[in-house]
Amino acid sequence: MNIYIRPTTSDDVAALPAIERAAGERFRDDPDLAWLADGEVISAEQHLDYAERGLSWLALANDRPVGFILTEAHPSSLFIVELSVDLAWQGKGIGRQLIARAADHARKLGLTSLTLTTFRNVPWNAPFYARMGFEMMTTLTPELREKREEETAHGLAYESRCAMRLPLNRRPGKA
């Protein structure tokens, strides 16, 4: 299997909502979160905006799109907006490779960390990130506070979510 990570191009964006939808199928295993599998996904137009700003990377397996990561720059961190890997391709290190690419980009921008918000107790969410060296945040930046408020407004229980940070003085996955 040949995995390749590269910046997302305008030609790629049409395939990305289907990858996010396929990744979301994993939530069907959790009765409390199964509704997320049928929830909204990021539109191709929104993906194009991230790609044009250089904040999106695509994972290809044998030249087929199987995952992506979207980011946005905050004052001191690169925030992971979405990390999706097609359910059939999960568990093969693709998510780790996408995070490593985002971390490299953050370092080039002079940022000191990666940040994200995620489910606290879903095994492929906070525990996955913790194994990569992400730490739970107790004090949130204004940007992360805003993200958490947006999540709550979209129906995600505040106490089920958390913010996490990966200091970039070390490589992801090498904790």
Side-chain angles (χ1 to χ4, degrees):
M1 169 177 56
N2 182 24
I3 304 295
Y4 179 66
I5 310 293
R6 65 164 170 76
T8 304
T9 69
S10 59
D11 292 336
D12 300 322
V13 298
L16 302 185
I19 292 170
E20 184 180 357
R21 175 76 57 211
E25 287 297 310
R26 190 150 187 206
F27 284 104
R28 293 200 191 280
D29 295 340
D30 185 328
D32 293 331
L33 298 175
W35 62 274
L36 290 169
D38 298 315
E40 289 184 34
V41 296
I42 298 164
S43 70
E45 294 78 20
Q46 290 169 302
H47 278 286
L48 181 59
D49 182 53
Y50 286 100
E52 288 176 342
R53 290 184 291 140
L55 297 171
S56 175
W57 292 268
L58 181 70
L60 298 130
N62 302 324
D63 297 321
R64 179 177 158 241
V66 297
F68 66 86
I69 191 168
L70 303 179
T71 64
E72 63 186 37
H74 288 184
S76 64
S77 73
L78 191 65
F79 178 77
I80 298 173
V81 174
E82 181 67 31
L83 171 64
S84 286
V85 176
D86 187 302
L87 184 59
W89 290 91
Q90 291 179 14
K92 300 179 185 335
I94 295 169
R96 288 179 183 275
Q97 290 182 51
L98 286 162
I99 289 170
R101 178 59 63 95
D104 288 343
H105 184 69
R107 285 183 190 96
K108 287 177 190 165
L109 295 176
L111 301 172
T112 59
S113 64
L114 290 180
T115 54
L116 55 85
T117 59
T118 192
F119 285 102
R120 201 178 281 279
N121 297 313
V122 173
W124 63 91
N125 279 198
F128 164 77
Y129 295 113
R131 287 190 301 275
M132 294 187 65
F134 281 81
E135 305 159 343
M136 294 273 189
M137 296 177 67
T138 54
T139 303
L140 302 182
T141 64
E143 297 83 14
L144 288 174
R145 251 192 316 281
E146 183 178 326
K147 295 290 181 192
R148 297 291 316 280
E149 290 167 7
E150 289 171 11
E151 293 171 350
T152 302
H154 284 95
L156 299 175
Y158 189 87
E159 63 280 356
S160 72
R161 305 280 293 171
C162 64
M164 299 183 81
R165 177 180 181 274
L166 176 71
L168 291 179
N169 56 352
R170 60 182 186 254
R171 298 246 176 237
K174 307 286 189 216

